[in-house]
Amino acid sequence: MAKDLYETLGVSKGASDDEIKKAYRKLAHKHHPDKAGGNTEKFKEINAAYQVLSDKEKRSQYDQYGQTFEQAQRGGGGGQGFGGFSSQGFDFSGFQQGGEFSGGFEDIFSDIFGGGGGRGRSSQRAGRDIQIDAEISFEEMVHGAHREVSLLRRMVCDLCRGTGGEPGAKEETCHTCKGSGQIRQTVQSFFGSFVQASTCPTCLGAGKTYAKKCHKCGGDGRVREQQSIAFDIPAGISNGQTISLQGQGEAGERGSQNGDLFVNVHVKQHNLFERKGNDILSTEHISFSQAVLGDKVSVRTIDEKLSIKIPAGTQSGETFRIKDKGIPQLGRSSVRGHQLVKIVVDVPKNLSREQKKLLEELKNTGL
């Protein structure tokens, strides 16, 4: 085999089993010959590579002997190389008599053809996640905020409590799946046929039905209702950060897990302050005389106004730090950043005759 198997699947030699499986699934979806744009030869290469790299023993031998592994195996008395692996195409040893596929690719083929609920999988679908946006002010970003939103979402039916059956109705074994929760059908593929398992559309995987469906939810076990949800936005959250509220999404099928609510937080810009990490940046303008002689100036912080000392000779662009007046560390509100105040010295443009005379005198003294 001329091409490296790892290269065929697009993974590194140190890839984990999960990474190899994910790469195979992706490529199998793309190149399967029964799908539009599929590539038969490419699909054969992918399957051949996966048969070796998904088997620990075969992978170990391949890592040892490289692309000459088949010859090395035969030379050692293996005869059949890697248990039926062939560089000429796909290994059909995973098929039973009658053409039903039973090998390690069942779950992957199920994904390719859109089947749901392979053996051992949960048939009930979890509730849908919901995403919303919340806008907060700069001040709320520093101090935290509380929001309440009204959402129209699927909730567990309070009449049947999610079962889908009319209260008091007789529970029966599903006639479609005979209580298994799944239906199996033979799917024809390029390599023959294999059995595909999917969730029963009648009982939605429960295996049970009711003689009469719930009149409120129509048998779904869920109803759409408007409900208010309150939540807190923590102090120190960043613009664009998302809050996850577990279980606050839509209800799942027949009592299965609820989805989650994701809140995307957007912080409005402030006309005086800017964020840098957990520090707050601001700018303070002072006069030429204040810069030369020094002074005390009032500075606005996110909490209050404070007085800071400007030393004599302060240059334009210098920065002064006000400790612990910045943004709280997310999850640790007692730990705050600082406020960094950048000084801008305003040079006067329109001077009176007397002011000009005084500056000339200062200039003559060498100032």
Side-chain angles (χ1 to χ4, degrees):
M1 180 175 289
K3 193 171 184 180
D4 180 78
L5 299 187
Y6 292 103
E7 184 181 344
T8 298
L9 293 184
V11 297
S12 66
K13 190 172 182 180
S16 66
D17 292 342
D18 283 343
E19 289 173 330
I20 289 173
K21 189 172 184 178
K22 286 179 181 178
Y24 171 77
R25 283 174 181 258
K26 182 178 179 180
L27 292 172
H29 272 280
K30 180 179 180 181
H31 297 292
H32 197 283
D34 285 353
K35 300 192 77 173
N39 186 316
T40 301
E41 293 304 317
K42 187 69 176 176
F43 188 66
K44 288 180 180 179
E45 290 180 10
I46 294 165
N47 278 293
Y50 183 71
Q51 285 190 70
V52 174
L53 299 184
S54 63
D55 185 291
K56 290 185 178 180
E57 183 178 351
K58 294 176 184 178
R59 183 179 178 182
S60 176
Q61 292 173 345
Y62 177 75
D63 288 343
Q64 182 178 358
Y65 296 109
Q67 297 176 5
T68 61
F69 68 99
E70 281 193 281
Q71 293 88 336
Q73 181 70 3
R74 291 193 182 100
Q80 295 301 316
F82 285 82
F85 171 81
S86 169
S87 62
Q88 299 302 314
F90 183 76
D91 177 15
F92 287 83
S93 62
F95 287 84
Q96 299 175 339
Q97 285 187 345
E100 291 187 3
F101 187 81
S102 63
F105 302 101
E106 184 183 61
D107 58 334
I108 297 171
F109 280 127
S110 177
D111 286 345
I112 293 172
F113 288 98
R119 288 180 294 184
R121 295 183 182 180
S122 172
S123 300
Q124 304 295 338
R125 289 182 296 183
R128 186 175 64 90
D129 294 334
I130 300 174
Q131 287 198 37
I132 62 172
D133 294 294
E135 188 176 62
I136 61 175
S137 67
F138 195 94
E139 287 82 0
E140 288 177 316
M141 178 267 290
V142 175
H143 298 120
H146 182 80
R147 288 289 187 273
E148 188 170 324
V149 295
S150 181
L151 296 177
L152 179 64
R153 57 177 180 163
R154 282 192 180 97
M155 301 177 62
V156 175
C157 175
D158 58 357
L159 183 61
C160 68
R161 298 188 178 182
T163 64
E166 186 73 15
K170 184 182 177 181
E171 190 178 53
E172 303 172 337
T173 300
C174 177
H175 66 276
T176 303
C177 65
K178 312 302 181 187
S180 68
Q182 295 182 338
I183 57 173
R184 301 175 71 83
Q185 57 184 348
T186 301
V187 178
Q188 299 296 327
S189 77
F190 176 78
F191 298 111
S193 62
F194 64 94
V195 175
Q196 177 188 13
S198 58
T199 301
C200 175
T202 303
C203 65
L204 300 178
K208 300 286 184 181
T209 58
Y210 290 86
K212 186 178 181 181
K213 293 181 180 180
C214 173
H215 71 271
K216 183 173 183 179
C217 65
D220 182 64
R222 300 173 295 179
V223 291
R224 287 187 178 275
E225 290 185 355
Q226 199 84 22
Q227 187 186 45
S228 293
I229 301 174
F231 56 91
D232 292 320
I233 299 175
I237 195 165
S238 298
N239 181 47
Q241 198 165 350
T242 300
I243 301 171
S244 174
L245 303 175
Q246 292 188 352
Q248 294 297 324
E250 293 198 332
E253 289 182 346
R254 304 289 173 86
S256 60
Q257 186 177 359
N258 286 4
D260 298 330
L261 174 63
F262 295 97
V263 183
N264 302 316
V265 178
H266 304 280
V267 182
K268 290 190 284 188
Q269 289 186 336
H270 199 280
N271 61 340
L272 295 179
F273 303 125
E274 183 181 342
R275 179 173 184 168
K276 183 178 182 181
N278 283 341
D279 293 331
I280 293 176
L281 309 182
S282 67
T283 300
E284 192 69 31
H285 289 255
I286 63 174
S287 67
F288 179 76
S289 60
Q290 287 177 311
V292 174
L293 302 175
D295 199 1
K296 284 187 176 181
V297 297
S298 179
V299 174
R300 179 180 169 184
T301 71
I302 199 68
D303 300 314
E304 57 191 338
K305 281 189 174 183
L306 294 175
S307 179
I308 65 171
K309 183 180 180 180
I310 303 296
T314 294
Q315 302 296 305
S316 187
E318 284 192 47
T319 299
F320 294 89
R321 184 181 68 171
I322 306 177
K323 291 183 63 176
D324 302 326
K325 288 298 179 181
I327 298 165
Q329 185 176 323
L330 189 62
R332 296 180 62 190
S333 57
S334 60
V335 180
R336 295 182 63 168
H338 311 299
Q339 181 167 334
L340 305 179
V341 183
K342 181 181 178 181
I343 298 298
V344 175
V345 178
D346 292 330
V347 178
K349 294 182 178 179
N350 300 315
L351 298 175
S352 66
R353 183 176 298 178
E354 184 179 353
Q355 287 172 330
K356 289 182 179 180
K357 182 179 178 182
L358 289 172
L359 287 174
E360 286 290 343
E361 293 176 358
L362 288 173
K363 178 181 177 182
N364 293 333
T365 63
L367 183 63

